[in-house]
Amino acid sequence: MHINHLHKWDVTPKEAIAIQNEFRGKLENRPLDFDAIQLIAGVDVSVKNNVSQAAVVVMTYPQMEVVETALAKQPTPFPYVPGLLTFREGPALDEAFEKLTNVPDVFLFDGMGRIHPRRMGIAAHLGLWLGKPTIGCGKTHFLGTYDTPALEAGSYTALTDKGEQLGVVLRTRTNVKPVYISPGHLCDIESATRFVLATTSRYRLPHPIRLAHNAAGML
């Protein structure tokens, strides 16, 4: 798969923040054309003993059958700094993306999209590299305020920061902790919410992310 290499990864935290501020204005909001989606991908990275393994699992949509899994393993190049996750996980993911022989129409990340101080979570940032619609699905609260959604599956509330709605807090399973959904690039909040619900079945996390998480954990 062709990747747009927009900057180098070997940067300082200060330089990383400057890159995020530079590229945030390039993000685009638009609704997904669900009828045109044929392939989707779950994306995750596992870090153990300072080694990162990235996994990208490509599936058919809406059948949800796996067609390809790409893995990449390398030393973790960047320290853990809140808000700069992309620079820690991006290099391994970049390598995994380049191994793909199938080109997904939508990428679903275990991480944030616009729910980020500079609106550039990993799904948003790498969406610009991929040039494809991306969605972030976070497991824990990172930024913003919201009302707790109702306990029924499919319930959600708006998550806002400084007066701007960045995403939703979505209950994917009844009486189970919600997830934090936000668009990355070439997607909007409504489409991101609908897509996550369409790819979630028996578990809290969408199926593509669960498979990517399992594959990335095989260090």
Side-chain angles (χ1 to χ4, degrees), residues 13 76-81 84 87-88:
T76 303
F78 199 86
Y80 174 75
V81 180
L84 299 180
F87 294 88
R88 184 172 170 84

Side-chain angles (χ1 to χ4, degrees), residues 74-189:
Q74 56 182 256
T76 303
F78 199 86
Y80 174 75
V81 180
L84 299 180
L85 179 68
T86 306
F87 294 88
R88 184 172 170 84
E89 299 186 352
L93 284 172
D94 186 10
E95 182 182 341
F97 290 140
E98 289 191 323
K99 292 180 178 180
L100 292 177
T101 58
N102 295 277
V103 180
D105 300 301
V106 181
F107 290 79
L108 186 56
F109 284 74
D110 185 340
M112 299 299 182
R114 305 289 182 92
I115 300 175
H116 184 276
R118 291 168 292 280
R119 312 316 187 228
M120 282 288 287
I122 190 167
H125 194 143
L126 290 182
L128 294 171
W129 283 58
L130 294 164
K132 292 288 184 177
T134 55
I135 297 167
C137 177
K139 298 187 289 290
T140 58
H141 179 230
F142 176 54
L143 177 81
T145 59
Y146 62 92
D147 294 325
T148 302
L151 295 177
E152 292 76 26
S155 301
Y156 62 89
T157 57
L159 184 146
T160 62
D161 179 58
K162 298 178 181 178
E164 178 185 6
Q165 184 179 357
L166 304 181
V168 300
V169 182
L170 173 65
R171 192 88 62 180
T172 54
R173 296 281 294 163
T174 298
N175 293 323
V176 172
K177 287 182 180 180
V179 290
Y180 300 80
I181 307 303
S182 56
H185 183 43
L186 300 175
C187 184
D188 59 16
I189 293 174

Side-chain angles (χ1 to χ4, degrees), residues 11-20 78-79 81 84 87 118:
V11 297
T12 66
K14 183 178 180 180
E15 290 170 332
I17 291 172
I19 288 170
Q20 290 178 335
F78 199 86
V81 180
L84 299 180
F87 294 88
R118 291 168 292 280

